[in-house]
Amino acid sequence: MKQSQITYWCHEIIRSQAEEGGYYIDATMGKGNDTLFLCELAREKGKVLAFDIQQEALDVTKELLKTHGKEMQAELILDGHEHMDRYAGKESADVICFNFGYLPGGDHNLATTYRTSIEAIGKGLGILKHGGMMSLCIYSGGDTGFEEKEKILEYVKALPGKEYTVIVNEYYNRKNCPPMPVFIFKE
């Protein structure tokens, strides 16, 4: 059942809020599925920036985009998401999405950490346009993520309510630390 997968659900929320042809950022490229989704939203007029620190992620994403004829719509950047402000201007992005954790099928020792993730969220909020949204898919459990999840939730809870609306969701009846989708809307 697709509708219960976190990425499907997050994509539907993004699709309901984002206008086609916008400027989008995939802050954690991974296998490129969010990058491809954002390229489909961007169409010919829009643009996508996608970040990852692993060459494998860039290679897999580049091939995925090429297969779907979307390679010209995205700029793939081998750099940490905490440096996205080097590549995107203030209040320029319509949507920014994150998937915290590690590259699916990759080395679990190479995972996001709360320090760089919170720094990236903060910089992303500065890059986000008024009326834009940020999607956070927080994976925890196993060998990564508990500390990152708690620190991220503390951070977003402290965001000023007059500037941001933060919606935290959870898979309430799932065991084994299911992922947590969080949405931030910039007023």
Side-chain angles (χ1 to χ4, degrees):
M1 178 181 254
K2 264 182 144 174
Q3 296 90 317
S4 66
Q5 293 176 334
I6 188 172
T7 51
Y8 176 85
W9 201 59
C10 289
H11 287 182
E12 290 305 306
I13 299 296
I14 291 168
R15 188 186 325 275
S16 75
Q17 299 294 310
E19 293 184 22
E20 290 181 359
Y23 181 50
Y24 311 113
I25 296 175
D26 182 355
T28 49
M29 190 183 322
K31 298 280 186 171
N33 293 310
D34 288 337
T35 306
L36 176 60
F37 167 72
L38 294 173
C39 285
E40 290 168 349
L41 278 179
R43 306 233 177 193
E44 291 76 36
K45 294 180 183 178
K47 182 174 178 168
V48 176
L49 289 183
F51 295 87
D52 210 290
I53 60 168
Q54 297 181 68
Q55 185 64 49
E56 177 187 353
L58 269 73
D59 295 342
V60 169
T61 300
K62 185 176 183 178
E63 192 59 38
L64 179 67
L65 296 179
K66 186 176 180 183
T67 300
H68 288 87
K70 302 291 184 186
E71 68 272 18
M72 299 307 291
Q73 291 173 268
E75 182 180 348
L76 307 182
I77 300 168
L78 185 63
D79 201 353
H81 53 206
E82 71 274 18
H83 301 135
M84 73 173 78
D85 59 329
R86 296 177 183 170
Y87 306 90
K90 187 176 179 172
E91 296 184 1
S92 61
D94 297 288
V95 172
I96 301 174
C97 64
F98 289 87
N99 279 291
F100 298 106
Y102 50 82
L103 181 68
D107 183 353
H108 291 207
N109 293 315
L110 294 173
T112 56
T113 65
Y114 79 86
R115 286 183 180 89
T116 56
S117 296
I118 288 173
E119 182 179 354
I121 293 167
K123 288 183 178 179
L125 292 174
I127 293 167
L128 201 60
K129 290 179 181 176
H130 290 277
M133 73 165 292
M134 183 180 286
S135 169
L136 313 175
C137 293
I138 305 172
Y139 294 87
S140 62
D143 50 1
T144 66
F146 289 114
E147 183 178 36
E148 183 178 39
K149 175 184 172 182
E150 295 310 313
K151 297 285 187 182
I152 288 172
L153 292 175
E154 287 174 20
Y155 179 81
V156 300
K157 187 174 187 173
L159 291 173
K162 290 184 179 182
E163 297 175 45
Y164 302 99
T165 299
V166 179
I167 301 173
V168 177
N169 304 271
E170 61 182 309
Y171 289 86
Y172 204 60
N173 66 340
R174 294 230 180 131
K175 296 178 183 176
N176 300 323
C177 308
M180 177 177 280
V182 176
F183 302 100
I184 303 172
F185 299 90
K186 188 172 184 178
E187 303 300 326

